[in-house]
Amino acid sequence: GAVVSQHPSWVICKSGTSVKIECRSLDFQATTMFWYRQFPKQSLMLMATSNEGSKATYEQGVEKDKFLINHASLTLSTLTVTSAHPEDSSFYICSAGGGGDWTDTQYFGPGTRLTVL
Amino acid sequence: GENVEQHPSTLSVQEGDSAVIKCTYSDSASNYFPWYKQELGKRPQLIIDIRSNVGEKKDQRIAVTLNKTAKHFSLHITETQPEDSAVYFCAASLGSNYKLTFGKGTLLTVNP
């Protein structure tokens, strides 16, 4: 099956610093990747849709200047949380479509747990 | 935009019993409906999905049914086992490269 990796798996940073999270599709090419945020005991909230070679599409209420997304290749998308604050602490998960018989199937990365002190 | 409602939010069953989780969606254009299982601290894993040209799909102990007219779909797990305990999410999408809209999740507990 399709494999999506994410790095790092967890990160602790000080308030005001920036953190970059990488999402890679390891055995398939992903034109589109998605970034989600998940709070404890809650559902996945889509933050943005990342399209290779073009600007990301952000969901309403998500600050695009704070959550910078770059999709430089068909196998890599990055999310940078700029000037992180404690309220940005969360579980960030990416997903990528394709890789199997149906391109509408999405496979998730293992997630990155961000803690901002 | 799409809205997905999921019920129940929690479900507790005895080992060996069946479990049913139901979802409704609002956008009649949605045509792809996956179900994900998420264990604590881990990634959501696709367990089964169904497309709008199919009414039912089964994979061993797991089945999904879709009623396009009523705009609802359900997950059925038979002969439940303790390892089925997890949070289950339903989702709906317009298809390839479109975003998934998730339900709020169902915490399933299977008691030995």
Side-chain angles (χ1 to χ4, degrees):
Chain A
V3 180
V4 178
S5 72
Q6 212 172 315
H7 179 82
S9 55
W10 59 270
V11 57
I12 301 172
C13 69
K14 292 183 178 180
S15 186
T17 60
S18 294
V19 175
K20 180 184 283 189
I21 303 169
E22 292 186 348
C23 177
R24 294 182 184 272
S25 55
L26 297 185
D27 53 359
F28 66 101
Q29 293 185 326
T31 306
T32 305
M33 292 184 175
F34 303 87
W35 286 96
Y36 296 85
R37 185 173 180 177
Q38 187 176 35
F39 291 107
K41 297 186 178 181
Q42 293 190 23
S43 188
L44 292 92
M45 183 193 80
L46 179 68
M47 298 175 66
T49 301
S50 170
N51 300 295
E52 188 267 337
S54 63
K55 291 184 179 180
T57 303
Y58 290 82
E59 294 298 298
Q60 191 173 7
V62 177
E63 298 176 62
K64 58 183 176 183
D65 294 331
K66 181 169 184 63
F67 298 100
L68 301 179
I69 291 172
N70 184 279
H71 195 151
S73 75
L74 287 173
T75 59
L76 173 64
S77 177
T78 60
L79 167 68
T80 301
V81 183
T82 62
S83 187
H85 291 286
E87 56 266 30
D88 298 324
S89 298
S90 188
F91 192 50
Y92 293 87
I93 315 178
C94 68
S95 72
D101 294 334
W102 301 94
T103 58
D104 47 12
T105 302
Q106 288 189 29
Y107 298 91
F108 284 83
T112 297
R113 187 161 302 283
L114 170 64
T115 302
V116 184
L117 303 177
Chain B
E2 176 66 277
N3 182 50
V4 176
E5 298 282 342
Q6 183 172 345
H7 298 282
S9 56
T10 61
L11 179 59
S12 181
V13 300
Q14 289 298 122
E15 183 177 359
D17 288 350
S18 295
V20 180
I21 303 171
K22 299 182 179 182
C23 288
T24 60
Y25 60 99
S26 61
D27 190 345
S28 57
S30 290
N31 59 16
Y32 175 62
F33 307 93
W35 286 89
Y36 288 88
K37 174 184 179 182
Q38 187 179 29
E39 297 177 356
L40 189 62
K42 297 189 176 180
R43 78 181 84 193
Q45 292 203 309
L46 180 71
I47 57 171
I48 197 166
D49 56 11
I50 192 167
R51 290 166 181 88
S52 58
N53 59 343
V54 176
E56 183 174 356
K57 184 177 178 181
K58 189 173 181 180
D59 182 4
Q60 299 184 334
R61 298 186 297 108
I62 296 173
V64 56
T65 59
L66 171 66
N67 183 325
K68 285 193 298 181
T69 303
K71 290 189 283 188
H72 67 69
F73 56 112
S74 300
L75 177 71
H76 304 253
I77 306 174
T78 59
E79 301 172 24
T80 54
Q81 302 165 2
E83 50 266 38
D84 293 330
S85 297
V87 178
Y88 290 80
F89 292 100
C90 64
S93 167
L94 294 174
S96 179
N97 292 330
Y98 282 93
K99 64 182 181 183
L100 290 171
T101 299
F102 283 87
K104 294 195 173 190
T106 296
L107 173 61
L108 173 64
T109 303
V110 181
N111 302 299

